[in-house]
Amino acid sequence: MPHSEETMVDAPARNGVDQGADDDTTMGEAGAPTAATTGEDKKDAKLEDLFDDVDSDDEFPSSRPVKEELPSSPAAPMDSTAYAKSSDPELIRMFYQRFFPWRYLFQWLNHSPTPTNDFTHREFAFSEFAFAAQADVYSRYQSFPSSDLLRKDVLRQLPLRFEIGPVYTTNPRDRKTLRNMSAFKPLAKELCFDIDLTDYDDVRTCCDKTKICNRCWQFITMAIKVLDVALREDFGFKHIMWVYSGRRGAHAWVCDKSVRTMSDQKRKAIAGYLEVIRGGAQSGKKVNVWRPLHPHLSRSLKILAPHFETDVLESQDPWVDSTRAEHLLSLLPDKALNENLRKKWDSSPGRASSSKWADIDALAKSGASKNLDGVALRDAKQDVVLEYTYPRLDIEVSKKLNHLLKSPFVVHPGTGRVCVPIDTRKLEDFDPLGVPTVQGLLAEIDSWTEGGEKGSDEEEAGAGEGKAKTKSNLQDWEKTSLRPYVEYFRSFVLALMKDERDPKVKRERDESDAMEF
C-alpha cells in the first residue's frame, strides 16, 4: 500500500495520496508589479513588456558560472558516467534548477503576469520522490503563492514528477480549516485528453506494453490530427497544447477560459462525442456507429485513410498472422464472403495485409457471395478503418474536474525523457525517441562554449523575447536542445494570456458558459 496521511475522502481522483506539510509562508511573484501600479499604467502596458518585466530571467539565473555544482567535465559526459539512472536525486535536482521553465509554467496556469487565484488556489500533487523508500507515494493538495515557492518546494522534496489539478474555491492547503468541508470544491481546470499506446496493443505489431518505436508512434500522430481538428472546428476551442508523456503517449490540454470552467457533465459530453472505440483488447467489434456517418466521423475517415494504407496495412501488417486475420473476418458482414476469403488466405500463408484488404473487394466483385449487401460491406470496411486508426482515449481523464495530470516538462523517471510540448505545425516531424533527456541536457551544457557552434560573441536574437540577448545572459535551457520546446511553450502562453486580456474574448467566453451539448 502506498504511504498516505490523507483519508480517501481527501483523495477522489487518485489512489494512495498524502498531504505534505502545510507552508503558511506567503510571497508575491518575484518581480511582479506592486499594488501601487495605477489602472492607467495597467491599461497601457503591453503583454510583451509584462513578459519581459515580470519574473525576469534574473529570478532563476543561469548556473553556468557555478562550475563546482557539475559533477563531471566535458571529457566525461553525464549520460554515460555518473548519472546513468534518470531517477538519480542529484540529476533531478539539477534539471529542476537549471532547465525547467518555471516562469512560463506559472504564466500558463495563472493566465496573468501577477499571481491570481488561478495559480494560488491551484492544486499540485508530488509523486515518486527521489529519496522515498517506495515509489508509490503521493503528496496531494499542495498550493503555492508564487512560482518561486513552487520551485523551492520541488527542489526541497525532489519529486520525480508533479501533477496538476484544478483550481479550488479556497487554498487547497487550508481545506481542513473550513467549517463546512462541502464548501471546498473544484472550480476550474483545463479539459484534458490522454492517449496511450498500450491501448493499441491489439492493432500494433511492432511493439507492445511500454515499448514504442517510430512506426507505432504514428497511431499517436493520427489521434492528434483527428482530435485537434475536432476540438477546433466542432467546438471552437483555440488554445490546445499537446504534450509528449515521456514514454508511450500524449496528453492534450485545452486551455480556453470557457473550457476551464465547464462542469463535469459538459466534460463528459465532449468526451463522449469524441469516443468511438469501445471495449478492451479481448472484445469483438469495437466500433458501432450510426449511418449516415456524423460529419465528424466522415472528416476523420478522410484524415485517417492515408494512414491506414501506409502506417497500418504496410507498416504494421496487422493480419499477416492467421489469428489476427480471423478478427478481420469477424468484422465483415457476409459469411459466404468470409469463407472464400479464409480459403484464399489459408492457401497463401504469409500473405500481406495490404493484399488481404484488397482481396475483400476483389472477391466481392467476383460474386463469391450471391446475397452480398454492398452497402453493409462498405460500412463494415469503414468501421475496420476506424477501429485500427481512430483515437483510443482514456476517457476518465477527460470527465472530471478534479483529475490530476502530469505537468509538462517533467522528466519521465523510466526513460529520462522530458515531457515536451508537441508543435502540431510540425507533427509529422516529432520523434518521441529523439526528445531531450535529462542526462543529455547536462552533457550538452558540459560541451557548450561561447566560442563553439552555438555562435560568436555577437548578440543573438532572444528567440521571441523581443530583445537581443548576449550569450552570457542565456539561461541554461537556451543552450540546449530543450530550447525550441520551451520557446514553443512560451508562444502558446503568450497567445493564451493575450486572449485572457481581450475584453471582447472575455465577454464571448462568459456568454458561452451557458452552452449546451
Side-chain angles (χ1 to χ4, degrees):
M1 286 290 291
H3 297 298
S4 174
E5 297 177 6
E6 289 295 328
T7 65
M8 292 305 294
V9 174
D10 286 329
R14 296 296 299 259
N15 294 326
V17 297
D18 73 314
Q19 170 63 29
D22 286 351
D23 187 347
D24 294 329
T25 305
T26 58
M27 180 185 297
E29 181 68 5
T34 65
T37 305
T38 66
E40 188 65 24
D41 291 336
K42 292 180 181 178
K43 181 178 179 181
D44 294 336
K46 294 183 178 180
L47 187 58
E48 291 81 357
D49 296 334
L50 291 173
F51 262 98
D52 291 333
D53 295 340
V54 179
D55 230 358
S56 67
D57 291 346
D58 293 336
E59 180 183 355
F60 310 130
S62 167
S63 55
R64 178 176 56 85
V66 190
K67 294 183 178 179
E68 63 271 20
E69 292 185 3
L70 291 172
S72 70
S73 66
M78 291 283 188
D79 57 345
S80 61
T81 56
Y83 297 114
K85 293 183 62 176
S86 56
S87 59
D88 185 287
E90 287 306 312
L91 195 65
I92 296 298
R93 186 191 306 277
M94 283 189 282
F95 175 79
Y96 283 136
Q97 280 181 331
R98 306 182 63 174
F99 301 110
F100 194 91
W102 298 104
R103 169 187 177 187
Y104 304 134
L105 182 83
F106 163 79
Q107 292 168 335
W108 169 50
L109 296 175
N110 188 63
H111 314 110
S112 171
T114 55
T116 68
N117 287 348
D118 282 0
F119 186 84
T120 60
H121 287 185
R122 171 82 70 160
E123 177 190 0
F124 293 88
F126 296 165
S127 61
E128 299 183 69
F129 296 86
F131 289 111
Q134 294 181 329
D136 194 13
V137 179
Y138 288 90
S139 177
R140 283 200 60 185
Y141 300 109
Q142 306 298 302
S143 59
F144 304 91
S146 69
S147 62
D148 189 35
L149 289 179
L150 169 61
R151 175 180 181 268
K152 289 176 180 177
D153 212 38
V154 168
L155 289 172
R156 178 178 65 85
Q157 298 195 54
L158 288 185
L160 296 184
R161 71 182 189 188
F162 60 88
E163 304 188 17
I164 297 171
V167 178
Y168 282 92
T169 49
T170 189
N171 190 319
R173 288 183 183 267
D174 298 336
R175 70 196 183 286
K176 290 186 176 179
T177 65
L178 298 175
R179 292 184 179 181
N180 183 8
M181 279 297 293
S182 63
F184 180 69
K185 297 178 180 179
L187 288 179
K189 185 181 180 289
E190 296 77 10
L191 175 63
C192 298
F193 295 91
D194 181 12
I195 312 164
D196 194 311
L197 275 174
T198 54
D199 293 326
Y200 292 81
D201 281 356
D202 62 317
V203 297
R204 60 175 179 157
T205 59
C206 53
C207 305
D208 64 353
K209 299 179 181 179
T210 61
K211 297 177 182 178
I212 71 162
C213 66
N214 284 305
R215 287 167 58 196
C216 56
W217 182 258
Q218 294 308 307
F219 288 110
I220 302 296
T221 299
M222 300 177 215
I224 292 176
K225 286 183 177 181
V226 168
L227 294 177
D228 195 76
V229 71
L231 291 168
R232 295 181 190 278
E233 294 187 7
D234 298 350
F235 294 96
F237 302 150
K238 179 179 179 181
H239 301 286
I240 305 169
M241 179 172 65
W242 290 90
V243 181
Y244 174 45
S245 70
R247 173 172 276 170
R248 60 182 184 273
H251 301 151
W253 296 79
V254 187
C255 305
D256 299 53
K257 184 174 182 179
S258 61
V259 177
R260 299 198 306 267
T261 55
M262 279 183 178
S263 65
D264 286 348
Q265 184 179 6
K266 291 181 179 180
R267 292 166 189 264
K268 184 178 180 180
I270 294 175
Y273 174 89
L274 295 170
E275 185 184 30
V276 172
I277 308 295
R278 292 181 173 87
Q282 304 305 318
S283 61
K285 184 174 172 59
K286 297 181 178 65
V287 175
N288 293 280
V289 294
W290 292 96
R291 273 7 189 242
L293 287 177
H294 187 280
H296 161 61
L297 292 177
S298 297
R299 179 186 58 219
S300 298
L301 279 171
K302 291 180 181 178
I303 294 172
L304 296 170
H307 287 283
F308 180 74
E309 296 288 341
T310 57
D311 299 318
V312 177
L313 295 183
E314 295 179 13
S315 181
Q316 295 295 328
D317 200 4
W319 306 311
V320 68
D321 175 81
S322 59
T323 302
R324 289 179 179 249
E326 278 297 323
H327 177 66
L328 170 61
L329 293 176
S330 72
L331 302 176
L332 301 180
D334 190 274
K335 291 183 178 180
L337 176 63
N338 289 356
E339 284 300 323
N340 281 277
L341 287 169
R342 187 178 291 108
K343 289 179 182 179
K344 183 177 182 65
W345 298 345
D346 287 345
S347 66
S348 181
R351 187 169 179 80
S353 296
S354 56
S355 298
K356 290 181 177 179
W357 184 249
D359 290 341
I360 298 174
D361 282 343
L363 286 181
K365 292 177 181 177
S366 70
S369 174
K370 296 180 180 180
N371 299 317
L372 179 65
D373 184 337
V375 174
L377 181 61
R378 180 205 64 192
D379 293 349
K381 291 185 65 180
Q382 289 178 343
D383 290 351
V384 170
V385 174
L386 290 172
E387 178 170 325
Y388 280 76
T389 58
Y390 190 86
R392 300 187 172 202
L393 299 171
D394 181 352
I395 207 70
E396 297 303 317
V397 172
S398 310
K399 289 161 61 173
K400 295 288 186 180
L401 258 171
N402 63 351
H403 201 288
L404 302 174
L405 193 62
K406 181 167 52 181
S407 170
F409 289 101
V410 296
V411 175
H412 191 289
T415 64
R417 300 184 195 126
V418 182
C419 299
V420 295
I422 299 172
D423 188 345
T424 53
R425 298 167 301 182
K426 307 173 183 177
L427 183 58
E428 299 284 355
D429 298 330
F430 183 80
D431 179 6
L433 305 180
V435 303
T437 64
V438 62
Q439 299 96 329
L441 291 172
L442 288 169
E444 290 179 47
I445 285 293
D446 278 349
S447 62
W448 193 91
T449 59
E450 292 195 6
E453 295 181 348
K454 302 297 182 181
S456 64
D457 290 334
E458 297 178 358
E459 291 184 338
E460 61 176 35
E465 293 289 340
K467 58 183 179 181
K469 297 179 69 173
T470 61
K471 302 195 72 179
S472 59
N473 291 334
L474 292 177
Q475 296 186 84
D476 282 342
W477 61 261
E478 294 180 280
K479 306 170 189 175
T480 69
S481 56
L482 192 62
R483 178 172 182 165
Y485 301 102
V486 177
E487 289 175 346
Y488 174 77
F489 183 47
R490 181 190 181 278
S491 67
F492 178 86
V493 173
L494 182 64
L496 176 62
M497 290 177 62
K498 183 177 181 181
D499 263 13
E500 295 282 329
R501 286 165 53 90
D502 187 335
K504 180 179 179 181
V505 172
K506 182 179 185 299
R507 183 169 58 254
E508 290 175 350
R509 290 180 178 173
D510 287 343
E511 292 172 354
S512 72
D513 286 344
M515 76 168 74
E516 298 295 338
F517 297 94

